[in-house]
Amino acid sequence: MGSPPRSSPRLSWRRVLCVLFLPFVSSGFAPPAKYRNNFIFERRKLPPNPRRFDWSHLTPRELKNRSQGIQTEERAGRNPYFTLEGHEFLILGGSVHYFRVPRASWRDRLLKLRACGFNTVTTYVPWNLHEPERGTFDFSGNLDLEAFILLAEEVGLWVILRPGPYICSEMDLGGLPSWLLQDPTSQLRTTNRSFVNAVNKYFDHLIPRVALLQYLQGGPIIAVQVENEYGFFYKDEAYMPYLLQALQQRGIGGLLLTADSTEEVMRGHIKGVLASINMKGFKVDSFKHLYKLQRHKPILIMEFWVGWFDTWGIDHRVMGVNEVEKSVSEFIRYGISFNVYMFHGGTNFGFMNGATSFEKHRGVTTSYDYDAVLTEAGDYTAKYFMLRSLFESILVRPLPPVPSPTPKAVYPSLKLSHYLPLWEALPYLQRPVTSNVPINMENLPINNGNGQSFGFVLYEMTICSGGRLHANAQDEAQVFLNETSLGILTDVYRDIDIPPITECQLLRILVENQGRVNFSWKIQNQRKGLIGPVTLDKIPLNWFTIYSLELKTQFFKKLRSARWRPLGGPSSSPAFHLGTLMAGSSPQDTFLQLLGWNRGCVFINGRNLGRYWNIGPQEALYLPGSWLQPGTNEIVLFEKEKSGSGVYSTDVRSL
């Protein structure tokens, strides 16, 4: 480049005007900038190297004298920002869901979060897991929310709590309990009396558990989110103010926030509550609606998506390290607080997975790997070390050392020695329901009147002729004449031909709930099983015997007394397959590959690892070492279609 031109000693009229108007420009009366609708771009280009932070004294255990929690502050010449006890504070959050991580691994994941440079952990609270039946609450074991929050405090992390009641999170029904669907007059996520009454009873139990863990009470919770992404749903303008009041009346205070997409933040926000946004990457126009809503507040990106979830039959979703690095660098440069979703995704153990319903219904995979910063099994990724490097560049003090990698093991091939056809396992289920008409899963008179939440339902009826069978099966049903498979019914293909028969036969319809939709208005209509009448040549069938296959631990205890058949080769299905896994004296994490098997679910010592399906993208199930016992472990596969060649242990995940 050439040398700059020399200055003239004479004052031009342009220079005079610049001198006269300089104070006004400096005080904020500058002409409209290129991105005037985005407050982070209003002023001149910020320097590439932001200031350094020292948060060593701003940790839950160090910060004893507390008078004010997270506050917002404005100064001339810069964007609004957060403070904690008067010190500038950039929220660097990472999502870890306690219910998707084995409790024995909580500490490992949180230590890795802290060592990466994050100062905050965020988590949802799944109502459907905590209140599986009305008035029956479970906060034990892997659902011990208070223990998780206190462990985060011990590790040195603040907590942002996202208690719902609706959370989405790719959970079955968005985390709402399925028994809410029993009442035909109830309208989910509205101020409908039935729904509100249920929420109030849930909050009466949940909120006292966490209220005392808030910042001003000496705990690590610095913020609480009011519901989740209501801007998209938006069926009732009174709903969000009602939830805000419900939280405040039960003792929730401090920083309250909402979270919505960048386009729907105007509809989802509540007056007096900080609005945050969810986004895939840093884009200038992403902030225009937020700017109109609250130009004098700091920016918080509640979900910065560094990957995406998988559904069965679709390729594994990934996001490149460079994409993530570019966005995070911009966030840091402009002083934007953000929460990485997910830092560690974990696993949809059991039947907790949700589903999408766009061109067709697709269940979310058992793995919630999410292409996150840590893998499903807690292993480091390139994103982890990239983020740690970026965070080190803004911190005065060095980060804690990186914890050792989580060890993995390869165990001898599992020996599946016996099998039991489903039909022979029926006596070990709870007593079947008899009804003149089919009853959907949620309305079965079981579980103290709460219906069935997850799993399978088997409908049996007697027919004395063939013809065209019609049924609405949600989500998928296998149809059998006695034990002979006739085909598949889905929510799209609702008809199947029954061959001519000369005498009365047993018609069986096995329906699988593959996960209730977790997003959109469709959550209102997510009843599973057989919905409505079943007809044969347009004549309604009646007198159904209905078996509930929830496949809980107690069922497998009963099944041990069954007369299992020796397995000499491929077996008829659906059937249970029994085997053993030898874990040695110190069990470690591993993955299970099911070669040649079609689809079903795996149980280790009665605990449901989740679903497998040969259509991918998931090709192995994560098995936590903490779920294994030294020596012999019982493994049971429930295979829906056709048994495979074997089950193998590997130390490498496969997606």
Side-chain angles (χ1 to χ4, degrees), residues 39 70 72 82 91 93 95 122 124 160-162 223-232 240 255-280 286-291 293-295 297-305 331 336-341:
F39 53 127
I70 291 285
T72 65
F82 290 113
I91 297 173
S95 288
T122 70
Y124 282 124
I160 295 179
L161 196 66
R162 311 176 76 184
V224 176
Q225 182 176 310
V226 184
E227 234 255 10
N228 191 48
E229 298 175 319
Y230 198 69
F232 176 86
M240 290 294 281
L255 179 63
L256 291 160
L257 55 94
T258 58
D260 290 281
S261 74
T262 57
E263 298 299 315
E264 293 149 357
V265 65
M266 300 287 288
R267 295 203 306 176
H269 87 286
I270 315 169
K271 185 177 180 180
V273 172
L274 181 76
S276 70
I277 55 176
N278 303 334
M279 60 195 305
K280 181 180 179 181
S286 298
F287 304 95
K288 60 184 179 182
H289 296 298
L290 186 62
Y291 173 74
L293 185 65
Q294 53 180 40
R295 67 182 66 188
K297 297 290 185 181
I299 302 175
L300 171 60
I301 299 171
M302 195 58 221
E303 291 186 11
F304 166 49
W305 302 315
F331 297 154
I336 297 174
S337 291
F338 63 95
N339 172 61
V340 166
Y341 193 97

Side-chain angles (χ1 to χ4, degrees), residues 59-262:
T59 61
R61 290 293 174 91
E62 294 291 330
L63 197 56
K64 298 297 184 182
N65 298 320
R66 304 181 181 188
S67 60
Q68 55 184 349
I70 291 285
Q71 304 289 320
T72 65
E73 191 168 323
E74 283 189 278
R75 289 183 186 175
R78 60 173 302 182
N79 297 313
Y81 56 93
F82 290 113
T83 63
L84 186 60
E85 292 300 325
H87 302 275
E88 185 172 349
F89 190 72
L90 196 64
I91 297 173
L92 302 179
S95 288
V96 180
H97 298 155
Y98 59 99
F99 49 93
R100 284 185 163 120
V101 182
R103 181 167 181 164
S105 299
W106 286 354
R107 181 179 295 274
D108 173 77
R109 308 309 192 252
L110 292 175
L111 285 171
K112 289 173 178 174
L113 181 69
R114 183 75 178 88
C116 191
F118 291 88
N119 55 36
T120 303
V121 61
T122 70
T123 187
Y124 282 124
V125 182
W127 183 6
N128 57 349
L129 300 185
H130 285 298
E131 192 180 4
E133 298 180 8
R134 292 180 188 85
T136 300
F137 298 94
D138 185 0
F139 285 84
S140 64
N142 230 79
L143 296 175
D144 194 338
L145 171 61
E146 294 156 279
F148 180 79
I149 294 172
L150 291 172
L151 182 58
E153 177 184 50
E154 180 185 332
V155 167
L157 294 165
W158 299 106
V159 176
I160 295 179
L161 196 66
R162 311 176 76 184
Y166 166 86
I167 62 173
C168 185
S169 186
E170 290 70 61
M171 290 280 289
D172 184 276
L173 204 62
L176 299 176
S178 63
W179 46 259
L180 290 169
L181 299 172
Q182 289 183 327
D183 184 353
T185 68
S186 180
Q187 294 293 314
L188 306 182
R189 303 183 74 191
T190 69
T191 52
N192 166 273
R193 182 181 298 274
S194 176
F195 183 72
V196 163
N197 287 342
V199 172
N200 283 336
K201 291 175 182 177
Y202 172 54
F203 275 6
D204 283 344
H205 196 92
L206 169 66
I207 301 306
R209 291 177 173 272
V210 297
L212 294 177
L213 299 177
Q214 295 179 96
Y215 179 85
L216 290 180
Q217 300 291 330
I221 298 176
I222 57 172
V224 176
Q225 182 176 310
V226 184
E227 234 255 10
N228 191 48
E229 298 175 319
Y230 198 69
F232 176 86
F233 196 82
Y234 202 69
K235 291 289 188 180
D236 184 347
E237 65 180 10
Y239 177 65
M240 290 294 281
Y242 148 71
L243 283 179
L244 173 62
Q245 185 181 46
L247 291 170
Q248 291 176 328
Q249 287 178 340
R250 291 167 174 82
I252 295 298
L255 179 63
L256 291 160
L257 55 94
T258 58
D260 290 281
S261 74
T262 57

Side-chain angles (χ1 to χ4, degrees), residues 360-361 470-479 487-496 509-512 514 529-530 599 613 640:
K360 63 178 295 188
H361 184 282
H470 176 85
N472 178 6
Q474 302 289 333
D475 296 304
E476 182 180 276
Q478 296 167 273
V479 181
I488 301 290
L489 294 171
T490 68
D491 56 348
V492 177
Y493 301 102
R494 300 185 178 184
D495 298 275
I496 197 169
I509 303 178
L510 178 64
V511 187
E512 179 185 7
Q514 295 179 338
L530 291 181
R599 52 179 164 167
W613 197 348
K640 291 177 59 178

